[in-house]
């Protein structure tokens, strides 16, 4: 991408400049996850306005800024020096400077450095302001056709790199009927795929290299994920975001009345997940089926 014309930054100032951007504040700025055209006009305006940009990788951010015709002093702030560098940022804010923080891609502080920086800023009684933008998480959810029960989902991010721990985490996902969003790097995706295959027929939406030239989005049964990866050598390359769809176990119409009565009594006193857990332990009925029954009965009670 060639450097933009001055009119782009002028447009950013015209569109975003009406808002107040206080001094002595940290600006958490979302940047593109691949396609450079996904930068927001307000992000451009703030990156042009601030006194300094703290970033995960100074070389990466310098190249990104150059793509937009921007040049700013950079401060490295990554997972290995986050605590120390955060105090440098706090000091700059106390001096009245505006400081932006960007990660290598997407929204900082979400499975990326930045959370400890914000915590330090808040602890110092200073302000941290969000500039929303690109996110692989919401990008995949928007095309997956499901956000979980009532639009809800669990964001888990990266599972453990250790095999035994990762398999335990997958077992926890299997036991939870909620939709679950995962992130994974290319060098670990095959191991994760083998573990997720244990989820069987549960649908999985795969997002690979989102917004980039070789972007792929696919939906498969979890058991077919390893085969999908093996179908093309290129498929193990790039960054991944995955959505494990919510469990869709059918409600057993023949579930005995005693079990349903127990479920109703528990629902009257407890949150859905707690009621389902206890009812499964008491009755031996499948937890997923009980969860679906509980949601249906809670919804019916609200409509009445």
């Amino acid at each position: 991408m060639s450097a933009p014309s001055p009119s782009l930054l002028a447009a950013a100032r015209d569109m975003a400049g009406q808002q107040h951007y206080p001094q002595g504040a940290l600006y958490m700025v979302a940047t593109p996850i691949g396609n450079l055209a996904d930068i927001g006009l307000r992000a451009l305006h703030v990156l042009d306005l601030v006194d300094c940009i703290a970033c995960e990788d100074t070389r990466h951010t310098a190249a990104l800024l150059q793509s937009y015709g921007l040049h700013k002093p950079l401060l490295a702030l990554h997972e290995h020096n986050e605590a120390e560098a955060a105090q440098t940022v706090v000091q700059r804010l106390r001096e009245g400077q505006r400081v932006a923080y960007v990660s290598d891609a997407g929204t900082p502080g979400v499975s990326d450095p930045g959370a400890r920086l914000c915590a330090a800023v808040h602890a110092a009684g200073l302000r941290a302001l969000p500039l929303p933008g690109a996110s692989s998480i919401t990008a995949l959810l928007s095309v997956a056709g499901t956000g979980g029960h009532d639009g809800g989902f669990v964001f888990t991010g990266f599972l453990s790199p250790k095999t035994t721990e990762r398999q335990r985490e997958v077992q926890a996902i299997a036991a939870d009927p909620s939709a679950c969003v995962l992130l994974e790097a290319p060098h670990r995706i095959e191991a994760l795929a083998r573990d997720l295959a244990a989820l069987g027929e549960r649908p999985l939406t795969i997002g690979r290299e989102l917004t980039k030239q070789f972007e792929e989005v696919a939906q498969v049964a979890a058991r077919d994920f390893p085969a999908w990866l093996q179908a093309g050598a290129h498929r193990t390359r790039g960054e991944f975001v995955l959505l494990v769809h919510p469990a869709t176990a059918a409600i057993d119409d023949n579930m005995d009345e005693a079990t349903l009565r127990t479920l109703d009594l528990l629902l009257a006193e407890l949150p859905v997940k707690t009621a389902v857990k206890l009812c499964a332990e008491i009755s031996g009925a499948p937890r997923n089926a009980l969860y679906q029954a509980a949601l249906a009965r809670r919804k019916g009670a609200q409509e009445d």
Side-chain angles (χ1 to χ4, degrees), residues 90-153:
V90 166
Q91 183 57 42
R92 286 176 176 265
L93 299 181
R94 285 175 171 154
E95 293 169 0
Q97 294 186 31
R98 299 181 182 94
V99 179
Y101 180 74
V102 300
S103 61
D104 284 350
T107 303
V110 182
S111 285
D112 272 327
R116 292 176 69 184
L117 170 61
C118 281
V121 169
H122 291 311
L126 299 165
R127 299 180 66 180
L129 305 175
L131 271 78
S135 167
S136 63
I137 300 161
T138 51
L140 187 71
L141 285 168
S142 72
V143 296
T146 177
H149 302 300
D150 299 323
F153 65 93

